[in-house]
Amino acid sequence: MYSIIYVEESVRDMPQTIEILNRYQNAAIVDCSHYGELFNRRKQNFRTQKKEPTLIIARKENKRILPIPGEYAIDAKHNFYFSHMLNCLYDCRYCFLQGMFRSASHVIFVNYSDFKTDLTSHIENTEDSICFYSGYDCDSLALDPITDFTRNFIPLFKPYQHAFLELRTKSTQIRNLLTMEPLPNIICAFSLSPNEIVGKYEAKTPSLNARLAAISSLRDAGWNIALRFDPIIFVDDFYTVYKQFFHQIYAALGSRSIHSITLGSFRLPKIFHKNMKRLYPDEPLLINGLSLTNGQIAYEENLEKKLISWCENTLKNLDSVTPVYIQRSTV
Ligand code: SF4
């Protein structure tokens, strides 16, 4: 998949690095001193790079665990996110990473032991519930066969009943999870959209049916499943499309319990939206029906409220048990 891999000198001999490089024997390996020299360089074209991203293997030196942005949290008292990766295999047209990062290169931070030390110290610092989100700057599972993220991080949570880890994903890369003991404090949170939206705006992602099949396998194996409907997109024939979509999900998943549902309508921080419009100037999704609302580019406030409340009511009619959380801001 990668024809060029940049490797920070400081991680060149780490086992995780060696394992990744062994998978790509034909790739050109290029040494670099710090990933930021490549990743944060000016005048890069995210759209062009996305077609054939390079891989950068690096060390995350500091600020490994960060407070979650805006209303990303669900119900834990303390909420943080961390990123063992930057960027994503998939190419969702609405993805805010395109507006946030200068480069589409995939960065994998392989100093897992530093992340684990920081996670443990945060967890042991409190007796309150504490949740960590791993899918903010990337998809948590899409590159799991390469990063081995789940096998490295999930066992850390086993002794701590008050600590939770959310894996947020559109991926069907669940092989590692299926070989592991399911833990009650791990939340496998699947981002789902109607088929019409997957086909139009979620390039390279698994189909809705494939994601539902992955969810069923994980549930059968005993893992917690959560559903993430974010972004809700105001497509033509919205109410018919989303009604059929929600019914399809509940028909596929049956009545067994779901950990949580989150709902958020399409929205972007103003600066990210500006950057994304530069990449896709003719993309109707980034133009039609949007305005500056509460500091973000979003649907007009009344429309947004109407869409979210309709989705919430429709879901509650199908499932009166699972808690539904509304999420508003991206960063
Ligand atoms: S799956 Fe998530 S992180 Fe990946 S491109 Fe889509 S929105 Fe972005």
Side-chain angles (χ1 to χ4, degrees), residues 55-309:
L55 173 64
I56 307 173
I57 305 177
R59 174 187 296 278
K60 180 76 177 158
E61 275 156 2
N62 47 42
K63 295 189 180 167
R64 284 180 285 264
I65 312 285
L66 295 162
I68 47 133
E71 297 178 25
Y72 202 79
I74 303 176
D75 59 353
K77 179 116 189 249
H78 306 290
N79 294 280
F80 297 92
Y81 77 97
F82 68 101
S83 303
H84 70 294
M85 255 202 86
L86 305 179
N87 275 321
C88 182
L89 204 58
Y90 308 138
D91 194 7
C92 303
R93 193 53 62 249
Y94 53 73
C95 180
F96 72 89
L97 299 180
Q98 307 166 98
M100 186 164 82
F101 294 142
R102 287 186 182 147
S103 167
S105 293
H106 299 170
V107 182
I108 301 176
F109 296 117
V110 287
N111 53 325
Y112 289 174
S113 58
D114 293 331
F115 280 97
K116 288 196 248 182
T117 303
D118 293 356
L119 285 166
T120 306
S121 121
H122 276 71
I123 292 170
E124 293 187 346
N125 246 341
T126 181
E127 291 180 357
D128 299 328
S129 57
I130 181 166
C131 187
F132 299 91
Y133 296 82
S134 66
Y136 182 70
D137 289 325
C138 63
D139 182 290
S140 296
L141 298 183
L143 280 188
D144 201 43
I146 296 163
T147 61
D148 232 0
F149 172 71
T150 49
R151 280 205 292 200
N152 274 283
F153 284 82
I154 285 176
L156 180 144
F157 286 81
K158 187 170 182 184
Y160 303 111
Q161 288 176 9
H162 68 298
F164 299 84
L165 170 66
E166 182 189 284
L167 308 168
R168 189 170 297 197
T169 191
K170 291 188 176 89
S171 172
T172 54
Q173 294 289 1
I174 57 170
R175 235 170 311 159
N176 273 350
L177 287 171
L178 292 178
T179 64
M180 297 168 71
E181 175 197 358
L183 300 182
N185 47 349
I186 305 299
I187 306 157
C188 302
F190 278 79
S191 296
L192 301 177
S193 301
N195 271 323
E196 292 81 346
I197 289 174
V198 174
K200 203 166 174 189
Y201 298 124
E202 297 182 355
K204 302 183 189 171
T205 63
S207 67
L208 174 59
N209 280 339
R211 289 181 224 174
L212 290 174
I215 290 174
S216 289
S217 303
L218 287 174
R219 274 192 5 161
D220 290 346
W223 291 93
N224 267 326
I225 297 298
L227 305 178
R228 303 290 174 249
F229 303 118
D230 188 357
I232 297 285
I233 295 179
F234 188 44
V235 284
D236 289 345
D237 218 2
F238 174 86
Y239 298 100
T240 309
V241 167
Y242 271 87
K243 187 172 180 190
Q244 197 268 332
F245 166 58
F246 291 142
H247 279 263
Q248 181 183 354
I249 289 166
Y250 276 88
L253 299 188
S255 58
R256 275 178 303 157
S257 71
I258 291 167
H259 173 274
S260 57
I261 291 173
T262 60
L263 277 173
S265 77
F266 180 48
R267 65 217 179 273
L268 287 164
K270 195 175 162 201
I271 180 70
F272 296 177
H273 176 257
K274 189 176 159 200
N275 293 340
M276 288 162 68
K277 255 179 68 182
R278 214 176 285 146
L279 293 175
Y280 297 97
D282 303 321
E283 172 54 66
L285 176 71
L286 301 175
I287 303 166
N288 295 347
L290 300 173
S291 58
L292 191 60
T293 302
N294 298 327
Q296 301 202 79
I297 301 296
Y299 299 130
E300 186 269 321
E301 203 170 349
N302 284 338
L303 174 64
E304 179 180 314
K305 279 187 186 150
K306 193 172 152 195
L307 298 180
I308 292 296
S309 121

